[in-house]
Amino acid sequence: MKDQTLFPLYNKRGLPETPQRLSQKSDDTPQPTHARRIYIETYGCQMNVSDSELMAGILTQNGHQTVTHIDDADVVLVNTCAIRENAETKVINRIKHLNHRKRRQPELIIGICGCMAQHLRDRLLDAAPYVDLVMGPDAYRNLPVALDSLTGGVEAYVSPKDRDPFLGLRLDRTEDYADIAPIRKDGIRAWLTIQRGCDKMCTFCIVPFVRGRERSLPLKLLVADVEKLVDQGFKEVVLLGQTVNSYHDNHSDFGDLLFAVGEVNGLERVRFTSPHPADATERMIDAMASSPTVCKHLHLPLQSGSTAVLERMRRTYTAEEYRTLVAKLRERIPNIALSTDIIVGFSGETDDEFRQTYQMMADIRYDSAFMFKYSEREGTLAHKALPDDVPETVKGQRLKQIIELQERISADINTDAVGDTVAVLVEGESRRDADRYHGKTDGFKTTVFPKANSRIGEVVNVRVDNTTAHTLIGQIV
Ligand code: SAH
Ligand code: F3S
């Protein structure tokens, strides 16, 4: 009975020819068996933020309600990250804390979702037996069924002490949630997942194991999504994927998608994250160079400046190839803003190999960088075959060196912008000063300026008067 009422709505195979998201409740929407109030807490990357919006969509379509305060909730779902050990440690501490809450509120359902759930699987239940639900990124369709099975739904009441934990850990290479309309907070910037999973298999990375094989959503559906987002008032869309530029829907590639989205009427800006250097095609560069809507900002993860390390990481490009790509990007798109990800202390990284990373950062002069110490992840190729042999203190020293270097470069680049006029999409009131707005430049620099007569959602020209390492400060001109 449960299956019959729930599955028609979620039957992927029943999709219409041109897929559409179910954005409205239809008459066949199953009545809530037992409506729950759900608080979703998100850790990790933008993909997780986007997945939480998807979870909210699935739950709401099924008659449940999401709440913005944990005190109002009878279900807490923690959407987790597994990328580095400290991401998991943070969540473990958070779950322990939630258990205190559960002592006061025994009916509370605690669910662990996302990458860490997929990574640790039922071992999570050994560490935290009070967890009721463990669900990986491809199983969110089962959330309503899971909640019913934990509580008994309408059929019977299940007391907390009789609950059997629900595990949803199957990775499904066909799951793209194409029929689910995510529920987003109102705002200026919307995140749109265009691709799930990753096929690259970098040796250090857990993502392919917890998010499964790569799959892309159809271009037509995505363009229709962007049109709807514009109708809802969003001005900027960020296309998301683990290797976003390897997007392919059997007919169109990432360049095609960028051009198509760039042409959507009323959209101010489109960005994307994160591309893989090996998939940076001419057509992608063409779209960035020629479409006025496509932002001239590229987050291009380097990881290491040493070809030998890149080989051990299986990044599939050499340091030279990466430099050539950057030179080409700068030639085709003058003033392009570049950012990157760097890992220090990967297996076997020598002083000399580290120096090559340092030198490459000094030469390329990124606008900003996310920098990490290598964190060995159980289940990855490196965990099986390459020792985590750079001492923690050495990793720490190397990280400190590149952070200092990058801070200087970012500050210098910002100082050079003094006197320039930059186009800023106004996002909201500055947290520190109610008389000022903040927004981003095309190159993704945070800019703060007095409101004058500007409005949220508008693009204004700001003359830069002053800067810090991370912010431009100016006046509307
Ligand atoms: N392609 C994805 C990568 C996600 S992980 C994207 O760009 O969205 C984000 C970054 O985390 C990676 O680029 C890498 O720099 C870092 N990272 C991944 N695994 C790591 C590990 N085991 N230790 C340290 N940093 C890691
Ligand atoms: Fe991870 Fe490499 Fe894919 S960093 S997400 S395996 S491109």
Side-chain angles (χ1 to χ4, degrees), residues 45 83-85 198 204-207 241-244 273-276 299 301 303 315 341-343 370 372-377 380:
C45 65
I83 200 80
R84 285 168 289 274
E85 190 179 352
C198 181
F204 55 80
C205 185
I206 195 71
V207 169
Q242 296 298 340
T243 52
V244 73
T273 198
S274 289
H276 191 285
H299 183 73
Q303 314 302 359
R315 286 290 289 179
D341 291 341
I342 304 284
I343 298 176
F370 296 107
F372 311 102
K373 287 191 268 188
Y374 171 53
S375 166
E376 187 178 54
R377 307 311 289 139
T380 56

PDB file of all heavy atoms in Angstrom, residues 45 83-85 198 204-207 241-244 273-276 299 301 303 315 341-343 370 372-377 380, ligand 1:
ATOM      1  N   CYS A  45      30.516  20.976   0.661  1.00  0.00           N
ATOM      2  CA  CYS A  45      30.590  21.813  -0.540  1.00  0.00           C
ATOM      3  C   CYS A  45      29.211  22.275  -1.016  1.00  0.00           C
ATOM      4  O   CYS A  45      28.187  21.891  -0.470  1.00  0.00           O
ATOM      5  CB  CYS A  45      31.281  21.026  -1.649  1.00  0.00           C
ATOM      6  SG  CYS A  45      30.335  19.583  -2.176  1.00  0.00           S
ATOM      7  N   ILE A  83      35.263  14.555   2.675  1.00  0.00           N
ATOM      8  CA  ILE A  83      36.419  14.822   1.825  1.00  0.00           C
ATOM      9  C   ILE A  83      37.741  14.764   2.598  1.00  0.00           C
ATOM     10  O   ILE A  83      38.734  14.274   2.100  1.00  0.00           O
ATOM     11  CB  ILE A  83      36.251  16.164   1.067  1.00  0.00           C
ATOM     12  CG1 ILE A  83      37.158  16.221  -0.151  1.00  0.00           C
ATOM     13  CG2 ILE A  83      36.461  17.378   1.943  1.00  0.00           C
ATOM     14  CD1 ILE A  83      36.631  15.485  -1.325  1.00  0.00           C
ATOM     15  N   ARG A  84      37.738  15.274   3.842  1.00  0.00           N
ATOM     16  CA  ARG A  84      38.930  15.198   4.677  1.00  0.00           C
ATOM     17  C   ARG A  84      38.523  14.717   6.060  1.00  0.00           C
ATOM     18  O   ARG A  84      37.357  14.835   6.445  1.00  0.00           O
ATOM     19  CB  ARG A  84      39.618  16.567   4.796  1.00  0.00           C
ATOM     20  CG  ARG A  84      40.385  16.964   3.546  1.00  0.00           C
ATOM     21  CD  ARG A  84      40.798  18.415   3.564  1.00  0.00           C
ATOM     22  NE  ARG A  84      39.636  19.266   3.393  1.00  0.00           N
ATOM     23  CZ  ARG A  84      39.120  19.616   2.215  1.00  0.00           C
ATOM     24  NH1 ARG A  84      39.682  19.233   1.099  1.00  0.00           N
ATOM     25  NH2 ARG A  84      38.045  20.352   2.155  1.00  0.00           N
ATOM     26  N   GLU A  85      39.504  14.215   6.801  1.00  0.00           N
ATOM     27  CA  GLU A  85      39.172  13.627   8.097  1.00  0.00           C
ATOM     28  C   GLU A  85      38.485  14.642   9.002  1.00  0.00           C
ATOM     29  O   GLU A  85      37.527  14.321   9.701  1.00  0.00           O
ATOM     30  CB  GLU A  85      40.438  13.090   8.756  1.00  0.00           C
ATOM     31  CG  GLU A  85      40.125  12.256   9.980  1.00  0.00           C
ATOM     32  CD  GLU A  85      41.371  11.696  10.637  1.00  0.00           C
ATOM     33  OE1 GLU A  85      42.469  11.833  10.051  1.00  0.00           O
ATOM     34  OE2 GLU A  85      41.234  11.142  11.734  1.00  0.00           O
ATOM     35  N   CYS A 198      31.468  11.257 -10.113  1.00  0.00           N
ATOM     36  CA  CYS A 198      32.748  11.597 -10.739  1.00  0.00           C
ATOM     37  C   CYS A 198      33.408  10.323 -11.250  1.00  0.00           C
ATOM     38  O   CYS A 198      33.451   9.318 -10.554  1.00  0.00           O
ATOM     39  CB  CYS A 198      33.672  12.293  -9.745  1.00  0.00           C
ATOM     40  SG  CYS A 198      35.252  12.762 -10.488  1.00  0.00           S
ATOM     41  N   PHE A 204      43.740  10.451  -4.375  1.00  0.00           N
ATOM     42  CA  PHE A 204      43.540  10.929  -2.998  1.00  0.00           C
ATOM     43  C   PHE A 204      42.067  11.064  -2.627  1.00  0.00           C
ATOM     44  O   PHE A 204      41.731  11.285  -1.480  1.00  0.00           O
ATOM     45  CB  PHE A 204      44.221  12.307  -2.811  1.00  0.00           C
ATOM     46  CG  PHE A 204      43.771  13.344  -3.827  1.00  0.00           C
ATOM     47  CD1 PHE A 204      42.579  14.023  -3.663  1.00  0.00           C
ATOM     48  CD2 PHE A 204      44.549  13.610  -4.949  1.00  0.00           C
ATOM     49  CE1 PHE A 204      42.161  14.962  -4.606  1.00  0.00           C
ATOM     50  CE2 PHE A 204      44.131  14.544  -5.900  1.00  0.00           C
ATOM     51  CZ  PHE A 204      42.927  15.216  -5.723  1.00  0.00           C
ATOM     52  N   CYS A 205      41.163  10.917  -3.595  1.00  0.00           N
ATOM     53  CA  CYS A 205      39.817  11.470  -3.418  1.00  0.00           C
ATOM     54  C   CYS A 205      38.741  10.412  -3.166  1.00  0.00           C
ATOM     55  O   CYS A 205      38.680   9.384  -3.843  1.00  0.00           O
ATOM     56  CB  CYS A 205      39.469  12.292  -4.655  1.00  0.00           C
ATOM     57  SG  CYS A 205      37.896  13.142  -4.507  1.00  0.00           S
ATOM     58  N   ILE A 206      37.889  10.699  -2.217  1.00  0.00           N
ATOM     59  CA  ILE A 206      36.827   9.771  -1.823  1.00  0.00           C
ATOM     60  C   ILE A 206      35.562   9.947  -2.671  1.00  0.00           C
ATOM     61  O   ILE A 206      34.694   9.079  -2.690  1.00  0.00           O
ATOM     62  CB  ILE A 206      36.518   9.973  -0.307  1.00  0.00           C
ATOM     63  CG1 ILE A 206      35.692   8.812   0.274  1.00  0.00           C
ATOM     64  CG2 ILE A 206      35.801  11.285  -0.030  1.00  0.00           C
ATOM     65  CD1 ILE A 206      36.417   7.533   0.419  1.00  0.00           C
ATOM     66  N   VAL A 207      35.471  11.088  -3.384  1.00  0.00           N
ATOM     67  CA  VAL A 207      34.207  11.423  -4.063  1.00  0.00           C
ATOM     68  C   VAL A 207      33.667  10.314  -4.976  1.00  0.00           C
ATOM     69  O   VAL A 207      32.486   9.954  -4.881  1.00  0.00           O
ATOM     70  CB  VAL A 207      34.332  12.775  -4.814  1.00  0.00           C
ATOM     71  CG1 VAL A 207      33.139  13.012  -5.735  1.00  0.00           C
ATOM     72  CG2 VAL A 207      34.458  13.923  -3.826  1.00  0.00           C
ATOM     73  N   GLY A 241      28.926  20.642 -10.546  1.00  0.00           N
ATOM     74  CA  GLY A 241      29.273  19.259 -10.847  1.00  0.00           C
ATOM     75  C   GLY A 241      30.656  19.000 -10.297  1.00  0.00           C
ATOM     76  O   GLY A 241      31.430  19.939 -10.113  1.00  0.00           O
ATOM     77  N   GLN A 242      30.986  17.747 -10.035  1.00  0.00           N
ATOM     78  CA  GLN A 242      32.319  17.432  -9.489  1.00  0.00           C
ATOM     79  C   GLN A 242      33.400  17.732 -10.521  1.00  0.00           C
ATOM     80  O   GLN A 242      34.485  18.182 -10.175  1.00  0.00           O
ATOM     81  CB  GLN A 242      32.411  15.961  -9.084  1.00  0.00           C
ATOM     82  CG  GLN A 242      31.474  15.564  -7.963  1.00  0.00           C
ATOM     83  CD  GLN A 242      31.750  16.302  -6.682  1.00  0.00           C
ATOM     84  OE1 GLN A 242      32.839  16.845  -6.486  1.00  0.00           O
ATOM     85  NE2 GLN A 242      30.776  16.335  -5.798  1.00  0.00           N
ATOM     86  N   THR A 243      33.102  17.442 -11.776  1.00  0.00           N
ATOM     87  CA  THR A 243      33.992  17.845 -12.873  1.00  0.00           C
ATOM     88  C   THR A 243      33.034  18.452 -13.887  1.00  0.00           C
ATOM     89  O   THR A 243      32.726  17.858 -14.910  1.00  0.00           O
ATOM     90  CB  THR A 243      34.742  16.642 -13.480  1.00  0.00           C
ATOM     91  OG1 THR A 243      33.783  15.634 -13.816  1.00  0.00           O
ATOM     92  CG2 THR A 243      35.736  16.066 -12.516  1.00  0.00           C
ATOM     93  N   VAL A 244      32.572  19.621 -13.555  1.00  0.00           N
ATOM     94  CA  VAL A 244      31.396  20.214 -14.190  1.00  0.00           C
ATOM     95  C   VAL A 244      31.539  20.306 -15.707  1.00  0.00           C
ATOM     96  O   VAL A 244      30.577  20.162 -16.453  1.00  0.00           O
ATOM     97  CB  VAL A 244      31.107  21.589 -13.540  1.00  0.00           C
ATOM     98  CG1 VAL A 244      32.114  22.632 -13.954  1.00  0.00           C
ATOM     99  CG2 VAL A 244      29.711  22.078 -13.810  1.00  0.00           C
ATOM    100  N   THR A 273      31.192  25.505 -11.127  1.00  0.00           N
ATOM    101  CA  THR A 273      32.261  24.972 -10.287  1.00  0.00           C
ATOM    102  C   THR A 273      32.047  23.481 -10.080  1.00  0.00           C
ATOM    103  O   THR A 273      30.897  23.056 -10.023  1.00  0.00           O
ATOM    104  CB  THR A 273      32.327  25.720  -8.945  1.00  0.00           C
ATOM    105  OG1 THR A 273      33.578  25.504  -8.339  1.00  0.00           O
ATOM    106  CG2 THR A 273      31.218  25.356  -7.983  1.00  0.00           C
ATOM    107  N   SER A 274      33.147  22.682 -10.047  1.00  0.00           N
ATOM    108  CA  SER A 274      34.505  23.004 -10.408  1.00  0.00           C
ATOM    109  C   SER A 274      34.867  22.295 -11.692  1.00  0.00           C
ATOM    110  O   SER A 274      34.596  21.106 -11.800  1.00  0.00           O
ATOM    111  CB  SER A 274      35.475  22.507  -9.355  1.00  0.00           C
ATOM    112  OG  SER A 274      35.423  23.226  -8.184  1.00  0.00           O
ATOM    113  N   PRO A 275      35.520  22.979 -12.595  1.00  0.00           N
ATOM    114  CA  PRO A 275      35.975  22.313 -13.805  1.00  0.00           C
ATOM    115  C   PRO A 275      37.242  21.508 -13.541  1.00  0.00           C
ATOM    116  O   PRO A 275      37.969  21.781 -12.582  1.00  0.00           O
ATOM    117  CB  PRO A 275      36.261  23.478 -14.741  1.00  0.00           C
ATOM    118  CG  PRO A 275      36.614  24.598 -13.851  1.00  0.00           C
ATOM    119  CD  PRO A 275      35.867  24.402 -12.573  1.00  0.00           C
ATOM    120  N   HIS A 276      37.495  20.526 -14.364  1.00  0.00           N
ATOM    121  CA  HIS A 276      38.751  19.777 -14.307  1.00  0.00           C
ATOM    122  C   HIS A 276      39.634  20.299 -15.446  1.00  0.00           C
ATOM    123  O   HIS A 276      39.167  20.419 -16.572  1.00  0.00           O
ATOM    124  CB  HIS A 276      38.469  18.289 -14.472  1.00  0.00           C
ATOM    125  CG  HIS A 276      39.657  17.436 -14.161  1.00  0.00           C
ATOM    126  ND1 HIS A 276      40.735  17.316 -15.023  1.00  0.00           N
ATOM    127  CD2 HIS A 276      39.958  16.682 -13.078  1.00  0.00           C
ATOM    128  CE1 HIS A 276      41.635  16.511 -14.474  1.00  0.00           C
ATOM    129  NE2 HIS A 276      41.186  16.116 -13.289  1.00  0.00           N
ATOM    130  N   HIS A 299      37.481  28.623 -11.424  1.00  0.00           N
ATOM    131  CA  HIS A 299      38.107  27.891 -10.321  1.00  0.00           C
ATOM    132  C   HIS A 299      38.717  26.639 -10.946  1.00  0.00           C
ATOM    133  O   HIS A 299      37.994  25.748 -11.378  1.00  0.00           O
ATOM    134  CB  HIS A 299      37.061  27.530  -9.268  1.00  0.00           C
ATOM    135  CG  HIS A 299      37.682  26.839  -8.095  1.00  0.00           C
ATOM    136  ND1 HIS A 299      38.449  27.518  -7.174  1.00  0.00           N
ATOM    137  CD2 HIS A 299      37.684  25.547  -7.709  1.00  0.00           C
ATOM    138  CE1 HIS A 299      38.885  26.664  -6.263  1.00  0.00           C
ATOM    139  NE2 HIS A 299      38.442  25.463  -6.566  1.00  0.00           N
ATOM    140  N   PRO A 301      41.167  23.737 -10.184  1.00  0.00           N
ATOM    141  CA  PRO A 301      41.990  23.035  -9.193  1.00  0.00           C
ATOM    142  C   PRO A 301      43.315  22.523  -9.778  1.00  0.00           C
ATOM    143  O   PRO A 301      43.306  21.790 -10.759  1.00  0.00           O
ATOM    144  CB  PRO A 301      41.097  21.873  -8.735  1.00  0.00           C
ATOM    145  CG  PRO A 301      39.705  22.363  -8.972  1.00  0.00           C
ATOM    146  CD  PRO A 301      39.802  23.183 -10.232  1.00  0.00           C
ATOM    147  N   GLN A 303      46.022  21.324  -7.535  1.00  0.00           N
ATOM    148  CA  GLN A 303      46.419  20.269  -6.565  1.00  0.00           C
ATOM    149  C   GLN A 303      47.916  20.269  -6.293  1.00  0.00           C
ATOM    150  O   GLN A 303      48.328  20.323  -5.147  1.00  0.00           O
ATOM    151  CB  GLN A 303      45.976  18.854  -6.961  1.00  0.00           C
ATOM    152  CG  GLN A 303      44.530  18.705  -7.433  1.00  0.00           C
ATOM    153  CD  GLN A 303      43.466  19.143  -6.440  1.00  0.00           C
ATOM    154  OE1 GLN A 303      43.772  19.572  -5.337  1.00  0.00           O
ATOM    155  NE2 GLN A 303      42.195  19.058  -6.829  1.00  0.00           N
ATOM    156  N   ARG A 315      46.057  12.902 -11.816  1.00  0.00           N
ATOM    157  CA  ARG A 315      45.259  14.055 -12.235  1.00  0.00           C
ATOM    158  C   ARG A 315      45.136  14.155 -13.756  1.00  0.00           C
ATOM    159  O   ARG A 315      44.401  14.992 -14.256  1.00  0.00           O
ATOM    160  CB  ARG A 315      45.871  15.347 -11.660  1.00  0.00           C
ATOM    161  CG  ARG A 315      45.635  15.522 -10.171  1.00  0.00           C
ATOM    162  CD  ARG A 315      44.178  15.804  -9.882  1.00  0.00           C
ATOM    163  NE  ARG A 315      43.772  17.129 -10.306  1.00  0.00           N
ATOM    164  CZ  ARG A 315      42.526  17.586 -10.177  1.00  0.00           C
ATOM    165  NH1 ARG A 315      41.575  16.838  -9.647  1.00  0.00           N
ATOM    166  NH2 ARG A 315      42.231  18.800 -10.588  1.00  0.00           N
ATOM    167  N   ASP A 341      42.516  24.940  -6.079  1.00  0.00           N
ATOM    168  CA  ASP A 341      42.641  24.085  -4.888  1.00  0.00           C
ATOM    169  C   ASP A 341      44.048  23.491  -4.889  1.00  0.00           C
ATOM    170  O   ASP A 341      44.525  23.052  -5.942  1.00  0.00           O
ATOM    171  CB  ASP A 341      41.669  22.894  -4.950  1.00  0.00           C
ATOM    172  CG  ASP A 341      40.215  23.285  -4.819  1.00  0.00           C
ATOM    173  OD1 ASP A 341      39.936  24.392  -4.334  1.00  0.00           O
ATOM    174  OD2 ASP A 341      39.356  22.467  -5.197  1.00  0.00           O
ATOM    175  N   ILE A 342      44.673  23.466  -3.718  1.00  0.00           N
ATOM    176  CA  ILE A 342      46.023  22.908  -3.591  1.00  0.00           C
ATOM    177  C   ILE A 342      46.033  21.915  -2.431  1.00  0.00           C
ATOM    178  O   ILE A 342      45.444  22.164  -1.382  1.00  0.00           O
ATOM    179  CB  ILE A 342      47.061  24.019  -3.262  1.00  0.00           C
ATOM    180  CG1 ILE A 342      47.041  25.152  -4.299  1.00  0.00           C
ATOM    181  CG2 ILE A 342      48.460  23.432  -3.096  1.00  0.00           C
ATOM    182  CD1 ILE A 342      47.701  24.853  -5.611  1.00  0.00           C
ATOM    183  N   ILE A 343      46.720  20.805  -2.640  1.00  0.00           N
ATOM    184  CA  ILE A 343      46.953  19.851  -1.547  1.00  0.00           C
ATOM    185  C   ILE A 343      48.457  19.805  -1.289  1.00  0.00           C
ATOM    186  O   ILE A 343      49.233  19.609  -2.232  1.00  0.00           O
ATOM    187  CB  ILE A 343      46.469  18.436  -1.918  1.00  0.00           C
ATOM    188  CG1 ILE A 343      44.963  18.425  -2.173  1.00  0.00           C
ATOM    189  CG2 ILE A 343      46.836  17.443  -0.827  1.00  0.00           C
ATOM    190  CD1 ILE A 343      44.421  17.079  -2.646  1.00  0.00           C
ATOM    191  N   PHE A 370      41.974  27.659  -2.261  1.00  0.00           N
ATOM    192  CA  PHE A 370      41.662  26.796  -1.114  1.00  0.00           C
ATOM    193  C   PHE A 370      42.830  25.848  -0.963  1.00  0.00           C
ATOM    194  O   PHE A 370      43.186  25.143  -1.908  1.00  0.00           O
ATOM    195  CB  PHE A 370      40.378  26.002  -1.359  1.00  0.00           C
ATOM    196  CG  PHE A 370      39.155  26.861  -1.479  1.00  0.00           C
ATOM    197  CD1 PHE A 370      38.550  27.056  -2.705  1.00  0.00           C
ATOM    198  CD2 PHE A 370      38.615  27.483  -0.362  1.00  0.00           C
ATOM    199  CE1 PHE A 370      37.424  27.859  -2.821  1.00  0.00           C
ATOM    200  CE2 PHE A 370      37.488  28.287  -0.473  1.00  0.00           C
ATOM    201  CZ  PHE A 370      36.893  28.470  -1.704  1.00  0.00           C
ATOM    202  N   PHE A 372      44.912  22.823   1.314  1.00  0.00           N
ATOM    203  CA  PHE A 372      44.642  21.746   2.272  1.00  0.00           C
ATOM    204  C   PHE A 372      45.897  20.924   2.524  1.00  0.00           C
ATOM    205  O   PHE A 372      46.723  20.760   1.627  1.00  0.00           O
ATOM    206  CB  PHE A 372      43.572  20.793   1.718  1.00  0.00           C
ATOM    207  CG  PHE A 372      42.354  21.485   1.177  1.00  0.00           C
ATOM    208  CD1 PHE A 372      42.178  21.645  -0.191  1.00  0.00           C
ATOM    209  CD2 PHE A 372      41.387  21.982   2.033  1.00  0.00           C
ATOM    210  CE1 PHE A 372      41.048  22.272  -0.700  1.00  0.00           C
ATOM    211  CE2 PHE A 372      40.253  22.618   1.531  1.00  0.00           C
ATOM    212  CZ  PHE A 372      40.081  22.757   0.175  1.00  0.00           C
ATOM    213  N   LYS A 373      45.961  20.345   3.743  1.00  0.00           N
ATOM    214  CA  LYS A 373      46.942  19.293   4.009  1.00  0.00           C
ATOM    215  C   LYS A 373      46.335  17.988   3.519  1.00  0.00           C
ATOM    216  O   LYS A 373      45.134  17.765   3.701  1.00  0.00           O
ATOM    217  CB  LYS A 373      47.178  19.154   5.517  1.00  0.00           C
ATOM    218  CG  LYS A 373      47.980  20.272   6.119  1.00  0.00           C
ATOM    219  CD  LYS A 373      48.377  19.908   7.552  1.00  0.00           C
ATOM    220  CE  LYS A 373      47.347  20.408   8.526  1.00  0.00           C
ATOM    221  NZ  LYS A 373      47.733  20.275   9.935  1.00  0.00           N
ATOM    222  N   TYR A 374      47.149  17.143   2.940  1.00  0.00           N
ATOM    223  CA  TYR A 374      46.624  15.854   2.484  1.00  0.00           C
ATOM    224  C   TYR A 374      46.051  15.082   3.677  1.00  0.00           C
ATOM    225  O   TYR A 374      46.673  14.966   4.723  1.00  0.00           O
ATOM    226  CB  TYR A 374      47.736  15.036   1.814  1.00  0.00           C
ATOM    227  CG  TYR A 374      47.306  13.618   1.515  1.00  0.00           C
ATOM    228  CD1 TYR A 374      46.146  13.370   0.791  1.00  0.00           C
ATOM    229  CD2 TYR A 374      48.055  12.537   1.965  1.00  0.00           C
ATOM    230  CE1 TYR A 374      45.733  12.068   0.531  1.00  0.00           C
ATOM    231  CE2 TYR A 374      47.665  11.233   1.696  1.00  0.00           C
ATOM    232  CZ  TYR A 374      46.491  11.008   0.981  1.00  0.00           C
ATOM    233  OH  TYR A 374      46.081   9.723   0.730  1.00  0.00           O
ATOM    234  N   SER A 375      44.866  14.568   3.489  1.00  0.00           N
ATOM    235  CA  SER A 375      44.199  13.776   4.519  1.00  0.00           C
ATOM    236  C   SER A 375      43.857  12.421   3.913  1.00  0.00           C
ATOM    237  O   SER A 375      43.070  12.339   2.960  1.00  0.00           O
ATOM    238  CB  SER A 375      42.930  14.532   4.951  1.00  0.00           C
ATOM    239  OG  SER A 375      42.075  13.725   5.692  1.00  0.00           O
ATOM    240  N   GLU A 376      44.488  11.397   4.418  1.00  0.00           N
ATOM    241  CA  GLU A 376      44.280  10.077   3.823  1.00  0.00           C
ATOM    242  C   GLU A 376      42.862   9.590   4.091  1.00  0.00           C
ATOM    243  O   GLU A 376      42.391   9.661   5.223  1.00  0.00           O
ATOM    244  CB  GLU A 376      45.280   9.075   4.410  1.00  0.00           C
ATOM    245  CG  GLU A 376      45.233   7.747   3.715  1.00  0.00           C
ATOM    246  CD  GLU A 376      46.260   6.779   4.283  1.00  0.00           C
ATOM    247  OE1 GLU A 376      46.264   6.570   5.510  1.00  0.00           O
ATOM    248  OE2 GLU A 376      47.049   6.237   3.502  1.00  0.00           O
ATOM    249  N   ARG A 377      42.182   9.118   3.053  1.00  0.00           N
ATOM    250  CA  ARG A 377      40.805   8.635   3.189  1.00  0.00           C
ATOM    251  C   ARG A 377      40.744   7.153   2.910  1.00  0.00           C
ATOM    252  O   ARG A 377      41.167   6.694   1.838  1.00  0.00           O
ATOM    253  CB  ARG A 377      39.867   9.371   2.207  1.00  0.00           C
ATOM    254  CG  ARG A 377      39.905  10.867   2.249  1.00  0.00           C
ATOM    255  CD  ARG A 377      39.802  11.450   3.656  1.00  0.00           C
ATOM    256  NE  ARG A 377      38.495  11.310   4.248  1.00  0.00           N
ATOM    257  CZ  ARG A 377      38.282  10.979   5.523  1.00  0.00           C
ATOM    258  NH1 ARG A 377      39.293  10.708   6.315  1.00  0.00           N
ATOM    259  NH2 ARG A 377      37.072  10.909   5.997  1.00  0.00           N
ATOM    260  N   THR A 380      40.228   4.990  -0.676  1.00  0.00           N
ATOM    261  CA  THR A 380      40.734   5.603  -1.916  1.00  0.00           C
ATOM    262  C   THR A 380      41.892   4.776  -2.477  1.00  0.00           C
ATOM    263  O   THR A 380      42.454   3.912  -1.782  1.00  0.00           O
ATOM    264  CB  THR A 380      41.261   7.029  -1.645  1.00  0.00           C
ATOM    265  OG1 THR A 380      42.264   6.950  -0.622  1.00  0.00           O
ATOM    266  CG2 THR A 380      40.150   7.956  -1.189  1.00  0.00           C
TER     267      THR A 380
HETATM  268  N1  SAH B   1      36.132  18.059  -8.397  1.00  0.00           N
HETATM  269  C1  SAH B   1      35.678  18.475  -7.110  1.00  0.00           C
HETATM  270  C2  SAH B   1      36.664  18.196  -6.055  1.00  0.00           C
HETATM  271  C3  SAH B   1      35.963  18.142  -4.801  1.00  0.00           C
HETATM  272  S1  SAH B   1      37.007  18.059  -3.497  1.00  0.00           S
HETATM  273  C4  SAH B   1      35.364  19.924  -7.096  1.00  0.00           C
HETATM  274  O1  SAH B   1      36.253  20.702  -7.451  1.00  0.00           O
HETATM  275  O2  SAH B   1      34.279  20.300  -6.711  1.00  0.00           O
HETATM  276  C5  SAH B   1      37.544  19.743  -3.345  1.00  0.00           C
HETATM  277  C6  SAH B   1      38.994  19.809  -3.073  1.00  0.00           C
HETATM  278  O3  SAH B   1      39.304  19.140  -1.869  1.00  0.00           O
HETATM  279  C7  SAH B   1      39.870  19.123  -4.110  1.00  0.00           C
HETATM  280  O4  SAH B   1      40.062  19.907  -5.240  1.00  0.00           O
HETATM  281  C8  SAH B   1      41.129  18.887  -3.346  1.00  0.00           C
HETATM  282  O5  SAH B   1      41.986  19.990  -3.392  1.00  0.00           O
HETATM  283  C9  SAH B   1      40.643  18.732  -1.916  1.00  0.00           C
HETATM  284  N2  SAH B   1      40.731  17.325  -1.478  1.00  0.00           N
HETATM  285  C10 SAH B   1      40.078  16.265  -1.995  1.00  0.00           C
HETATM  286  N3  SAH B   1      40.458  15.135  -1.358  1.00  0.00           N
HETATM  287  C11 SAH B   1      41.361  15.504  -0.429  1.00  0.00           C
HETATM  288  C12 SAH B   1      42.127  14.790   0.544  1.00  0.00           C
HETATM  289  N4  SAH B   1      42.032  13.481   0.666  1.00  0.00           N
HETATM  290  N5  SAH B   1      42.951  15.508   1.354  1.00  0.00           N
HETATM  291  C13 SAH B   1      43.055  16.843   1.225  1.00  0.00           C
HETATM  292  N6  SAH B   1      42.356  17.554   0.339  1.00  0.00           N
HETATM  293  C14 SAH B   1      41.531  16.894  -0.492  1.00  0.00           C
END
